Amino acid sequence: VTGGIAIERNTPLAPRTTLRLGGAAEHFCAPEDEAGVGEALAWADAHALPVTVLGGGSNVVVSDAGLRGLVMGVNLRGTDWQEHGRVTRVTVSAGEPWDAFVAEAVARGLAGVECLAGIPGLVGAAPIQNVGAYGQEVAECVVEVRALDRTDGRVYSLATEACAFGYRDSAFKRDPARWVVLAVTFELRRDGAPKVAYDELARALEARGAAPTLAAVRETVLSLRRAKSMVIDPADENRHSAGSFFVNPMVTLSEAERVVEAAVRTGLVACTDDVPRWPAPDGRVKLAAGWLVERAGFAKGSRRGAVGVSSRHALALVHHGGGTSAALLALAREVRDRVRARFGVTLVPEPVFLGFGGDPLA
Ligand code: EPU
């Protein structure tokens, strides 16, 4: 025990990740307030140990060797709702579960996060990789992130622009050793109008025949995610995953044409329209990584021993129990290499890799 925080030794991390893989943390603590976070960081500095922040563990791959130094769980709780005319500003502590926050916002008739229902993990992680799904991303409603800057030990309130959000990206993600996210402030609209900007969501809402209310959007998203094993369910054979294992590639127009040409030439599709792709904001083209994985020969449900491809979504790699991170990474490498050989596109992993020196897929 140091000050008010307890520091454990040799804490298994696999149970703290949704993949259920990886070794132990040399040291572990889970402070419940900002003072505790400061103490933990000071303790690590005093012992010259590296610090890794672990949230809900739903987007990480931990190495089999585990992590040296201090792993800090985030147990800061509390939510503060403030009405400001047509919007509600809500400040949520980093350790609050994301999905419960979405449910509460929708129940209060507040719009802005309804498409992000069913995403596992904690609120503090949401701005780090700019969590997004079904046509919405947190960057659209995050107005401030309260974060501790480890370079000077001070706490800052970063406005949206300072967060430098991109597709599954932010200033926090680009500099992971620097920032500890403490709380996130969202601005949610009181007009109750949901966002329906994803084809699959629009079609599913229509099929229900219900008015597109916030609650209907949330429930529809949950059912779409469930059908893809993207909601954590203890009864689901695909439950141990990190969600999408690769980001969707953003390629130039000519690269996209090459992919389409390769797909037609090898008889994967009958017509060029059958290759899923969407215009990206900067004139590039977004390809569907899940489609590339499947068409490179990894059928849903295919297995390599204790790991495999989800039986409901080719972009998720899953652990069936008794496996290792090394086996999962070997499969990821195989997927990346075969997609590259077939389509000339190099997939980039989406989860955060912890405890691997250098490029884990090298
Ligand atoms: N597809 C296949 N086979 C599959 C899965 C998908 O061919 O097994 C193709 C289909 O053409 C489909 C397209 O891929 O239309 C897109 O699939 P989907 O709508 O399921 O979305 P995604 O692009 O695979 C992204 C996010 C998900 C998010 C969904 C829904 C990334 C890396 N992933 O997946 O986020 O839930 O959109 O908005 O951007 C995550 O990041 O972990 C995550 C789950």
Side-chain angles (χ1 to χ4, degrees):
V1 176
T2 164
I5 54 161
I7 295 186
E8 300 171 14
R9 272 192 76 94
N10 208 22
T11 303
L13 292 175
R16 296 180 181 272
T17 70
T18 53
L19 270 168
R20 296 288 195 279
L21 287 173
E26 188 184 3
H27 301 277
F28 180 85
C29 69
E32 294 183 355
D33 52 32
E34 291 188 7
V37 169
E39 275 176 47
L41 294 174
W43 179 87
D45 284 346
H47 294 80
L49 292 172
V51 178
T52 306
V53 178
L54 183 68
S58 54
N59 197 48
V60 294
V61 183
V62 174
S63 79
D64 296 314
L67 293 182
R68 209 180 81 73
L70 176 68
V71 174
M72 184 166 66
V74 182
N75 222 353
L76 313 184
R77 304 297 296 265
T79 306
D80 179 31
W81 306 83
Q82 300 271 348
E83 288 183 22
H84 292 274
R86 278 185 237 181
V87 299
T88 291
R89 276 187 168 230
V90 51
T91 299
V92 191
S93 295
E96 288 289 333
W98 173 263
D99 190 40
F101 160 59
V102 171
E104 173 77 17
V106 168
R108 286 171 180 250
L110 299 172
V113 288
E114 61 281 356
C115 301
L116 305 177
I119 296 178
L122 305 179
V123 168
I128 298 177
Q129 67 148 340
N130 183 16
V131 159
Y134 298 97
Q136 199 167 53
E137 52 182 30
V138 292
E140 294 166 38
C141 64
V142 167
V143 289
E144 201 171 281
V145 175
R146 186 175 161 81
L148 190 148
D149 183 348
R150 297 199 53 221
T151 58
D152 63 6
R154 292 166 67 164
V155 172
Y156 291 89
S157 283
L158 285 88
T160 318
E161 309 76 62
C163 299
F165 291 118
Y167 166 60
R168 291 293 186 280
D169 200 23
S170 73
F172 312 106
K173 187 168 170 177
R174 285 191 284 272
D175 207 350
R178 179 167 178 189
W179 299 103
V180 180
V181 173
L182 302 169
V184 186
T185 302
F186 303 87
E187 197 168 277
L188 303 176
R189 284 174 292 106
R190 308 180 58 78
D191 63 16
K195 182 164 186 187
V196 183
Y198 201 77
D199 279 349
E200 190 188 19
L201 174 60
R203 275 185 272 114
L205 273 165
E206 232 175 78
R208 284 179 148 224
T213 59
L214 288 172
V217 167
R218 173 174 171 268
E219 277 153 29
T220 306
V221 164
L222 285 174
S223 70
L224 289 173
R225 292 187 70 96
R226 250 182 237 118
K228 298 178 190 178
S229 292
M230 293 284 185
V231 174
I232 293 184
D233 172 355
D236 187 329
E237 59 170 339
N238 301 304
R239 65 194 173 282
H240 297 315
S241 88
S244 299
F245 202 88
F246 297 98
V247 293
N248 286 321
M250 304 287 179
V251 300
T252 62
L253 211 54
S254 67
E255 284 170 312
E257 275 159 16
R258 265 199 285 121
V259 170
V260 173
E261 193 260 322
V264 172
R265 179 166 36 80
T266 53
L268 283 174
V269 292
C271 99
T272 58
D273 286 352
D274 295 343
V275 178
R277 55 197 194 280
W278 298 268
D282 54 2
R284 289 190 296 169
V285 178
K286 182 174 108 175
L287 301 175
W291 189 93
L292 296 170
V293 170
E294 218 178 340
R295 295 340 180 261
F298 296 89
K300 294 190 190 83
S302 49
R303 301 238 337 214
R304 297 282 183 277
V307 298
V309 174
S310 164
S311 62
R312 302 268 193 71
H313 200 289
L315 195 47
L317 302 186
V318 300
H319 170 217
H320 294 287
T324 60
S325 294
L328 188 84
L329 290 191
L331 172 59
R333 218 173 283 127
E334 194 189 332
V335 168
R336 184 203 51 191
D337 291 350
R338 266 160 73 178
V339 167
R340 182 158 54 200
R342 179 158 276 198
F343 298 107
V345 173
T346 302
L347 294 179
V348 174
E350 196 264 1
V352 174
F353 292 94
L354 299 177
F356 301 86
D359 177 3
L361 293 196

